[in-house]
Amino acid sequence: MEFPHGKFVFFLLLLSLGTLSALSYTLFSPIDNYLVDCGSIVDSVVDNRRFVSDASCRNSYSLHSSRSASLRNENPHDVSPRIYQSARVFTRPSRYEFEIKEKGTHMVRFHFQKLNSSKFDFGDAQFHVLVNGFVVLSDFIGGEVVSPRVKEYLIWVDTEKLVITFIPAKKSKFAFVNALEVLSAPKDLILDTAEYVNSEKTDEFDGLAMQALEVVHRVSVGGPKVTPFNDTLWRTWIPDDEFLVSSFGSKRVYFSGRIWYQMGGASREVAPDNVYNTARVIRSTNASVPDVNITWVFPVTGGFKYLVRLHFCDIASISLGLLYFNVYVNGNLAYKDLDLSRATNYVLASPFYADFVVDADASGVLSVSVGPSNISMPYTIVGMLNAVEVMKLNNSMGSLAGKLPAELVLKSWPKRNIGVLIPLVAAACLLVSLSMLLRRRMTGLKNSLTWSKLPTDASGADVK
């Protein structure tokens, strides 16, 4: 039996989906939006974004430094973007302060590249960096940065200012930075809860949003590099080839249709279309389900917890309700029988992501795998992944680099040269003592002499 209003209901459904997707097309505009070209005397434009020279600090941010210098790259053949053609150098602890209008998670990015300079030897660039009390870099060696490098952090800010402090590792070393970004993040970028996964159990991990996070890996699976120009939050996603260790039985897929972002689901700020329209998949091509997994391995630092964000978007299935698979992190089952149709409210090509927190051990690697589950079906897709993000969480000392808290890192800078100062003070005291002793002796000798009038011989003279 045909319902007369069936076509009308179908039209309304398509209209609502289109409206939800269109809402996501609104460009994100951060309330706190600082782009600083450090050491430059003019502004620079990169990817249609204007980085303002720190020589003209505005009322909303300031530079506090007793000893800093601005440098220009002396290599005329360097074709790096303009923000990497200059740098601000610090020979003493120095800080930038940014006024914060919107409290919450902020993206903080540091741009580094050593310069050819006749004034400074970048082999002596070694320093620490603090952000609002978190240690984000420790003993960072700038001389090894031969090509542009971006260090990105997600920092919860509940104060009126965000303070970035640079501290040379020694008096013979210096710190530098080419450019800075401080941006308020979308509200849905970092949620407060994730699944904590280890070999014994899976449990909830709370308080994630209050942690300091370092973006260690951001990978587009099966696709090309995604540049900041093509990302909603000006991020870079690199191809997954160098991390892929087991891909037998898998293939890349590309999708040219629309990605359907839904309210309450993954937004375009979580990841852009260019990330979700490519993937690697495992496909069953006959009556049996292949017993294979796709596995990626990522270098990490042992002793820290990591947030692993996995991005999914079913761009390969021919119909809903056909895709079921398992997800493993560090060899442990993190998500059993993942049903993307149900997770996305039964909409194909609609993005979904899952957050897991895991411990990194002494092996120095973190693995991610997807593969068939017990309910995967023949002649269907039995495993897929679109993207991976790996972020380091701060340790109990509030550090993302090393075991020292910010207070001890600040105290590591020598206030004065005590070894030289003590002998100088002792010598000064000795000179003062000798001077006082000599003065007393001279005064005593003078007081011991009796003054008398010179004798007058008047025998040969007449006084009248």
Side-chain angles (χ1 to χ4, degrees), residues 190-449:
I190 299 294
L191 301 182
D192 200 47
T193 302
E195 290 293 317
Y196 177 63
V197 179
N198 60 25
S199 58
E200 298 177 356
K201 62 179 180 178
T202 299
D203 203 354
E204 280 195 355
F205 184 95
D206 296 320
L208 183 62
M210 304 294 288
Q211 302 282 320
L213 302 173
E214 176 188 355
V215 179
V216 182
H217 303 289
R218 183 176 281 133
V219 177
S220 175
V221 174
K225 180 179 180 179
V226 178
T227 64
F229 183 78
N230 294 309
D231 181 87
T232 45
L233 296 182
W234 310 281
R235 297 162 293 198
T236 297
W237 304 72
I238 64 174
D240 67 326
D241 302 82
E242 66 178 284
F243 308 104
L244 191 63
V245 296
S246 176
S247 61
F248 178 77
S250 70
K251 63 178 296 186
R252 303 171 190 256
V253 293
Y254 304 91
F255 181 67
S256 59
R258 169 174 287 185
I259 301 298
W260 295 96
Y261 293 92
Q262 301 185 67
M263 288 293 187
S267 66
R268 190 170 272 103
E269 282 68 51
V270 169
D273 298 50
N274 290 338
V275 167
Y276 286 123
N277 61 20
T278 65
R280 288 188 189 269
V281 303
I282 304 172
R283 188 188 301 272
S284 170
T285 57
N286 52 39
S288 63
V289 175
D291 185 19
V292 296
N293 287 348
I294 315 175
T295 301
W296 297 261
V297 170
F298 303 93
V300 293
T301 303
F304 287 88
K305 284 183 169 56
Y306 284 81
L307 170 65
V308 180
R309 173 168 289 183
L310 303 181
H311 297 264
F312 306 95
C313 186
D314 190 356
I315 56 174
S317 294
I318 60 174
S319 180
L320 292 166
L322 299 178
L323 175 58
Y324 304 91
F325 59 97
N326 290 337
V327 178
Y328 306 87
V329 180
N330 270 359
N332 301 310
L333 183 61
Y335 209 127
K336 181 178 174 60
D337 301 327
L338 175 56
D339 178 0
L340 281 185
S341 294
R342 183 176 180 180
T344 59
N345 295 319
Y346 298 94
V347 178
L348 286 176
S350 181
F352 167 78
Y353 71 91
D355 286 344
F356 306 100
V357 172
V358 297
D359 296 299
D361 57 26
S363 68
V365 296
L366 185 154
S367 66
V368 171
S369 302
V370 295
S373 77
N374 291 333
I375 59 175
S376 296
M377 296 177 288
Y379 299 104
T380 65
I381 304 298
V382 295
M384 76 176 307
L385 184 63
N386 298 77
V388 183
E389 293 179 89
V390 179
M391 308 181 200
K392 184 197 295 184
L393 277 65
N394 66 269
N395 59 19
S396 59
M397 295 291 103
S399 175
L400 288 161
K403 298 180 180 180
L404 293 180
E407 294 82 2
L408 293 183
V409 173
L410 282 170
K411 291 179 180 179
S412 67
W413 175 258
K415 294 294 188 298
R416 58 183 64 86
N417 196 331
I418 301 298
V420 174
L421 183 62
I422 291 176
L424 287 176
V425 171
C429 291
L430 181 60
L431 288 174
V432 171
S433 299
L434 289 173
S435 176
M436 292 177 65
L437 181 60
L438 289 173
R439 181 176 294 181
R440 286 177 181 176
R441 287 186 176 182
M442 293 297 294
T443 303
L445 180 61
K446 182 177 180 181
N447 292 336
S448 65
L449 296 174

Side-chain angles (χ1 to χ4, degrees), residues 121-135:
D121 179 2
F122 274 74
D124 292 330
Q126 184 178 356
F127 54 96
H128 320 294
V129 180
L130 313 180
V131 179
N132 269 26
F134 291 103
V135 182

